[in-house]
Amino acid sequence: MNITKEQIDDLNAVVKVAITKEDYQDKVDTILKDYKKQANIPGFRKGQVPMGLIKKQYGKAVLVDEVNKLLQDNLNKYLTEEKLDVLGNPLPKQRDDFDWDKEELDFEFELGLAPDFEVSLKTKKAITHYKIVADKKMITEQVERIQKQYGKLVSKDEVGKKDEVSGKFTNEEEGIDNQTLIEMDSLKSKKAIDSLVGKKVGDVVTLKTKGLFKEDHLLSSALGIAKDKADDLNTEVTFTITEINEREPAELNQELFDKLFGKDVIKSEKELRERIAEDSEKQFEQQADQKLLNDVTEYFIENTKFDLPAGFLTKWIQMTGEKELTEEEASEEYKKSEKGLRYQLIEGKIIKDNDLQVQFDELKEFAKGFIKSQMAQFGQMDPKEEELDNIAARVLGNQDEVRRLSEQLMSQKLLNLYKEKANLKTKEVTYENFVKEVYG
């Protein structure tokens, strides 16, 4: 067997593979002998079928199969040994006049080669790294939410602007018949608020669905209908009041602090506010980091210039997709995927240049940290190390989970690298202003 490469240009090459009978004949003969032993052909006893008939019936198929195996194994070996960084997979050149009976079989494969380029982590333009702080207003709102959540209900005779009102929504024509609870604070419609304030148990109020709540998604659950139907609904419904309650805020005392954080962890309202600020800013940091990662990614895509073997990749998409594509369809698919492919190459270059690796021990610790945070959400604040090890072992036994966690850990390594080496400018903002700046 002989393999050679013809360089077309920096991004395209053709690999030629010449296979002779000596490369495959022994394997083909062995397989055909096995076929002869097992063949059941009418007119012949098992194992007594003439080899000529076996070759006539199975010889070409066995030859093609063995040659294809040889091609695949040796082509992959060649690409590895020659350290050729290819995009997609080698594409065989189609030949209508190919003769499988020749003494020497010649094959050609088109290659799309990865471009050679450099990535400078020290970006020319400073990229904003947001530091989101918990402001006094946000902390106060969170304290009030806690007090409300852990407060007690006090029955009332009449509806007030801050009360919780239980009742039933009905509209026979729309099939609405749903018992629910309305927090007066959640209502947007002034007309609806005025209609409810002062009403008593047993009173019936007519309300318009359009613009009833401050948050549109609340209408679906309140009326007991599908969200898509609720989004388009503009009608009147009747609301029959069955219960009126005022939620008396919980006192900010040691009993509440212990209930929230464990015994004697927090001992005053001041410490509570500090803890809320600390926990909130940890959560905000994840959002700010994700924004930074997205912005750095976009910067590299826009500012790292290199060519791609577009013609080869379009042909590769056309030939290897789940369904056959026209050249125009393949070209459109390439345009859609080009940006992602560019970043894959850029990210791979950064990982290689900076020797970023995911070791099993650190992946295991990363998995344990993820598991611990998940358990904390369900109130398990201090799991034993042995329990974490056992769960991590089960998680890492799943290859899909290993892949997912490895990608997350590598993203974290890249983020740390960008924080260390990229040209960043820190901007301190409240969460409210962060949302306005980032999401408009």
Side-chain angles (χ1 to χ4, degrees), residues 8 27 33 40 47 121 144 147 165 195 258 271 330 379 392 436:
I8 306 301
K27 185 69 174 175
K33 286 176 184 176
N40 284 311
L121 291 177
E144 289 173 354
Q147 287 183 278
V165 185
S195 298
D258 290 350
E271 289 183 10
K436 285 179 183 176

Side-chain angles (χ1 to χ4, degrees), residues 364-374 388:
K364 182 180 177 183
E365 289 306 310
F366 183 75
K368 284 163 67 175
F370 179 77
I371 294 162
K372 196 171 182 179
S373 66
Q374 292 289 99
L388 289 172

Side-chain angles (χ1 to χ4, degrees), residues 411-422:
S411 288
Q412 188 62 54
K413 286 174 175 282
L414 286 166
L415 182 65
N416 292 338
L417 180 70
Y418 300 153
K419 285 181 179 180
E420 178 188 347
K421 296 191 175 181

Side-chain angles (χ1 to χ4, degrees), residues 155-360:
S155 181
K156 288 186 66 179
D157 295 329
E158 294 185 355
V159 177
K161 287 189 176 182
K162 299 288 186 182
D163 294 339
E164 296 179 5
V165 185
S166 296
K168 180 183 279 191
F169 276 114
T170 54
N171 179 309
E172 189 174 344
E173 186 178 338
E174 297 292 343
I176 296 168
D177 185 15
N178 192 56
Q179 187 76 32
T180 191
L181 180 144
I182 296 176
E183 294 183 2
M184 291 292 290
D185 281 346
S186 70
L187 294 176
K188 178 182 179 181
S189 168
K190 186 177 184 304
K191 190 174 181 181
I193 295 168
D194 292 342
S195 298
L196 285 164
V197 169
K199 294 296 187 291
K200 299 180 180 181
V201 171
D203 286 347
V204 179
V205 181
T206 299
L207 304 171
K208 284 191 73 68
T209 58
K210 195 72 173 176
L212 182 58
F213 291 98
K214 293 175 183 175
E215 298 179 37
D216 291 339
H217 70 89
L218 293 175
L219 184 64
S220 170
S221 58
L223 301 183
I225 59 175
K227 185 180 182 303
D228 56 351
K229 181 178 178 180
D231 289 343
D232 298 329
L233 194 64
N234 185 10
T235 189
E236 289 186 339
V237 289
T238 58
F239 183 70
T240 305
I241 299 172
T242 57
E243 190 177 353
I244 305 165
N245 291 300
E246 178 184 13
R247 190 169 287 273
E248 193 175 279
E251 289 185 36
L252 295 174
N253 55 25
Q254 195 61 47
E255 181 183 355
L256 177 62
F257 303 151
D258 290 350
K259 191 180 291 184
L260 291 169
F261 301 102
K263 186 166 177 58
D264 294 335
V265 174
I266 301 294
K267 295 183 179 179
S268 66
E269 182 180 346
K270 180 174 179 291
E271 289 183 10
L272 172 66
R273 287 175 172 272
E274 289 171 352
R275 177 63 179 263
I276 289 172
E278 180 186 340
D279 290 349
S280 298
E281 288 177 2
K282 280 181 183 176
Q283 292 179 357
F284 296 156
E285 186 178 0
Q286 293 177 2
Q287 293 185 55
D289 282 350
Q290 187 59 54
K291 170 64 177 166
L292 175 62
L293 197 57
N294 293 344
D295 288 347
V296 173
T297 297
E298 286 297 322
Y299 179 90
F300 283 144
I301 291 172
E302 293 299 320
N303 293 278
T304 307
K305 303 299 181 183
F306 53 83
D307 293 326
L308 289 170
F312 170 83
L313 290 169
T314 300
K315 189 188 291 187
W316 180 72
I317 290 170
Q318 185 180 7
M319 295 181 66
T320 60
E322 290 183 8
K323 65 174 185 176
E324 189 173 339
L325 300 177
T326 65
E327 190 173 337
E328 292 76 16
E329 288 171 334
S331 181
E332 282 302 310
E333 285 298 313
Y334 171 71
K335 288 175 185 175
K336 290 177 188 176
S337 61
E338 183 183 358
K339 190 173 181 180
L341 175 58
R342 284 184 176 278
Y343 186 66
Q344 284 180 23
L345 291 169
I346 292 167
E347 186 182 82
K349 177 72 172 169
I350 293 170
I351 289 170
K352 182 180 178 182
D353 287 351
N354 293 276
D355 195 26
L356 300 181
Q357 299 177 29
V358 173
Q359 305 291 348
F360 181 78

